């Protein structure tokens, strides 16, 4: 009898191995996360991004089509951008069976730079007292956590674990995908560190403060033009131009999701130029490498 069984297994096995398992359906908030999940999950995942190109993750409203697609998803990987707080209740209600994981949970949040410059000392005092952003409602937690490669590496480990929990058979795939991606992030981190190590000027000016974790990781300081998401008034703009002159800023960075009007005004006043750095680019590693290169070129005499 066991000979028959062997025959059946012999006939069945090719069918079993040929049929690919249904992909794990994953929703993420921002585009770089899709890259993280695909690098780890390969063909075993199918990823949809909530915040559409050109939109801001601070104010995004999911479309009805996206809400319908959420009902079919297995996993939502949150990252702590502002629209999640407004929508997570509805997202959960749409698909109560879906696993929701905040990949940034427990990672040390920095506070967003305030725009009046007296805050620097206060911020340092807060850090010395060990205060979190959460305990300080007047200081908003900075959500742009993915601009730091070491933090992405920590989030990648959580993505690997969440995928393995949902799809244990894919465990070896996720472990291998994570290992490759983590090695690439380590190499990127070392490369950026080396490139920016001896820059004479360690400040850069941005319209929207999306690069704080990047700045912290590599010992740089970002100076923000916008005020609570809005263009600065004439007085604030004049102060920023003075500051840019004083600190010999040569390049003002903008991102495609926000206005570049004020940045262009500052750049014109100081005889500098405006460059685009997109924190939401899909090709994470290439984009950060490019950002480091532009920063290095901008801050050398
Ligand atoms: Zn932002």
């Amino acid at each position: 009898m066991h000979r028959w069984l062997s025959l059946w297994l012999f006939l069945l096995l090719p069918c079993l191995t040929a049929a690919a398992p249904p992909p794990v359906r994953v929703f993420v908030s921002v585009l770089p996360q899709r890259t993280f999940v695909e690098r780890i999950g390969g063909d075993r995942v199918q990823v949809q991004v909530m915040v559409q190109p050109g939109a801001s993750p601070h104010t995004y409203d999911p479309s009805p089509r996206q809400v319908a697609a959420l009902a079919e998803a297995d996993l939502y990987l949150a990252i702590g951008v502002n629209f999640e707080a407004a929508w997570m209740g509805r997202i959960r209600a749409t698909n109560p069976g879906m696993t929701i994981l905040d990949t940034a949970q427990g990672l040390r949040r920095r506070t967003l730079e305030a725009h009046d410059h007296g805050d620097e000392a206060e911020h340092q005092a807060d850090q010395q007292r060990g205060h979190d952003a959460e305990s300080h409602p007047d200081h908003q937690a900075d959500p742009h956590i993915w601009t730091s490669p070491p933090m992405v590496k920590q989030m990648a480990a959580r993505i690997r674990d969440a995928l393995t929990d949902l799809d244990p058979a894919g465990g070896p795939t996720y472990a291998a995908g994570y290992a490759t991606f983590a090695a690439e992030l380590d190499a990127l981190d070392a490369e950026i560190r080396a490139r920016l190590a001896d820059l004479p000027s360690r400040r850069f000016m941005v319209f929207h403060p999306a690069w704080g974790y990047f700045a912290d990781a590599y010992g740089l300081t970002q100076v923000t033009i916008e005020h609570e998401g809005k263009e600065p008034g004439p007085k604030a703009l004049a102060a920023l131009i003075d500051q840019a002159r004083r600190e010999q800023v040569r390049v003002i960075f903008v991102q495609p999701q926000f206005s570049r009007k004020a940045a262009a005004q500052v750049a014109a006043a100081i005889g500098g130029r405006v460059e685009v750095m997109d924190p939401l680019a899909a090709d994470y590693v290439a984009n950060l490498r490019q950002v480091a290169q532009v920063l290095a070129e901008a801050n050398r005499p």
Side-chain angles (χ1 to χ4, degrees):
M1 188 176 112
H2 79 269
R3 196 170 293 182
W4 278 108
L5 193 64
S6 312
L7 180 64
W8 271 111
L9 279 176
F10 179 75
L11 291 171
L12 264 172
L13 215 55
C15 311
L16 288 174
T17 48
V24 180
R25 289 158 300 182
V26 184
F27 253 90
V28 296
S29 291
V30 295
L31 196 51
Q33 287 179 283
R34 188 180 76 193
T35 307
F36 309 156
V37 179
E38 287 178 347
R39 290 300 305 273
I40 295 159
D43 292 344
R44 296 188 81 96
V45 295
Q46 194 181 76
V47 188
Q48 296 195 62
V49 184
M50 200 51 106
V51 179
Q52 294 298 295
S56 162
H58 298 278
T59 53
Y60 191 70
D61 282 329
S63 71
R65 195 186 56 78
Q66 287 181 312
V67 173
L70 267 174
E72 308 290 313
D74 303 303
L75 176 64
Y76 193 106
L77 294 171
I79 196 167
V81 289
N82 304 52
F83 92 90
E84 288 171 5
W87 276 85
M88 207 42 81
R90 276 172 282 184
I91 288 173
R92 202 181 294 274
T94 301
N95 185 348
M98 175 174 65
T99 304
I100 300 176
L101 174 73
D102 181 359
T103 53
Q105 195 174 28
L107 296 182
R108 181 85 172 85
R109 293 306 180 104
R110 68 195 301 284
T111 42
L112 273 173
E113 281 86 353
H115 313 271
D116 40 299
H117 307 136
D119 270 22
E120 197 67 35
E122 194 190 327
H123 177 59
Q124 277 169 1
D126 282 345
Q127 284 186 326
Q128 276 158 14
R129 285 196 298 268
H131 282 183
D132 279 1
E134 283 73 14
S135 66
H136 256 267
D138 50 330
H139 281 169
Q140 206 197 340
D142 185 344
H144 310 93
I145 204 154
W146 65 93
T147 60
S148 156
M151 283 186 159
V152 170
K153 192 178 161 189
Q154 295 189 57
M155 291 193 283
R158 290 183 184 163
I159 295 168
R160 173 200 61 199
D161 295 345
L163 291 173
T164 306
D165 282 349
L166 278 170
D167 173 27
T173 303
Y174 304 135
Y178 167 78
T180 308
F181 187 43
E184 201 176 339
L185 289 169
D186 284 342
L188 176 71
D189 180 50
E191 183 189 324
I192 297 174
R193 203 169 292 284
R195 194 182 277 275
L196 302 179
D198 60 345
L199 283 188
S201 163
R202 308 205 66 80
R203 282 174 183 263
F204 60 100
M205 202 170 249
V206 294
F207 179 75
H208 178 71
W211 297 94
Y213 292 92
F214 181 92
D216 285 358
Y218 302 111
L220 306 167
T221 304
Q222 73 173 351
V223 180
T224 303
I225 292 179
E226 67 158 49
H227 183 72
E228 289 164 358
K230 294 186 277 287
E231 299 269 352
K235 240 176 129 176
L237 192 66
L240 282 164
I241 289 168
D242 278 349
Q243 188 185 4
R245 278 209 187 97
R246 220 172 32 242
E247 287 164 3
Q248 298 182 316
V249 169
R250 276 175 290 268
V251 178
I252 323 287
F253 294 103
V254 294
Q255 66 183 84
Q257 298 81 14
F258 292 91
S259 159
R260 62 175 71 187
K261 189 172 145 230
Q265 286 171 307
V266 177
I270 63 168
R273 64 184 202 274
V274 175
E275 289 267 3
V276 178
M277 295 204 294
D278 187 1
L280 294 167
D283 190 345
Y284 181 78
V285 171
N287 184 52
L288 256 68
R289 187 173 285 138
Q290 165 86 11
V291 165
Q293 191 176 332
V294 170
L295 269 170
E297 282 164 12
N299 286 294
R300 271 186 221 290

